[in-house]
Amino acid sequence: MLSKYFRNLPLLLQRTFATKQPEGRKKIVLNDQDLIETFVKGSGPGGQCINKRSSCVDLRHIPTGIRVQCQQSRSLADNRGIARKLLREKLDELENGALSKNGQKAAKIAKQKARRAKRAKEKYSKKEDDTTTPEICKGE
């Protein structure tokens, strides 16, 4: 269906939207038979809308025992989607460890911090060397 819109674009400008998974990383799939989903009344700020309706989602993954609660939105459907996303992220971190999306983000940030620290160290160590007074050679 979208091909009719991209027909006139050169091939180099067209992007493929398929994402590749890094090797060694397992794809996380949630099966409905592995989940226990309950809807409970929310708590906290929001008044009558939050306290009377059962829009808070409690999602449990039976094989691992991981439990996620979501009450970010007033909508039950939105909370269900958000809870499943959070559970998928937790399972990804449990299964893949450093290869998970959060693990990769953390590694990238750590690498950036190390690079910045190295540059700062080089920059300020040069300034200290330049400020020392050179020794005056006595005529020999």
Side-chain angles (χ1 to χ4, degrees), residues 95-114:
E95 287 283 326
N96 297 317
L99 292 176
S100 68
K101 285 189 177 184
N102 288 340
Q104 289 175 347
K105 277 184 184 179
K108 183 179 177 182
I109 291 170
K111 190 176 176 183
Q112 286 175 346
K113 283 185 178 182

Side-chain angles (χ1 to χ4, degrees), residues 34-35 60-67 87 90-91 94-95:
D34 292 343
L35 301 176
R60 273 182 264 151
H61 189 247
I62 298 168
T64 58
I66 294 177
R67 180 176 175 221
L87 183 62
K90 283 191 174 189
L91 288 173
L94 181 71
E95 287 283 326

Side-chain angles (χ1 to χ4, degrees), residues 36-94:
I36 297 175
E37 189 173 39
T38 55
F39 308 108
V40 294
K41 291 183 180 180
S43 62
Q48 187 177 16
C49 181
I50 295 294
N51 299 330
K52 283 183 79 174
R53 296 184 184 153
S54 296
S55 60
C56 182
V57 177
D58 182 28
L59 194 60
R60 273 182 264 151
H61 189 247
I62 298 168
T64 58
I66 294 177
R67 180 176 175 221
V68 174
Q69 275 192 320
C70 180
Q71 185 190 336
Q72 294 181 6
S73 170
R74 285 188 193 180
S75 169
L76 180 67
D78 290 349
N79 285 336
R80 286 183 74 193
I82 295 168
R84 286 176 184 265
K85 182 180 175 185
L86 291 173
L87 183 62
R88 210 175 298 120
E89 287 176 3
K90 283 191 174 189
L91 288 173
D92 183 32
E93 206 167 309
L94 181 71

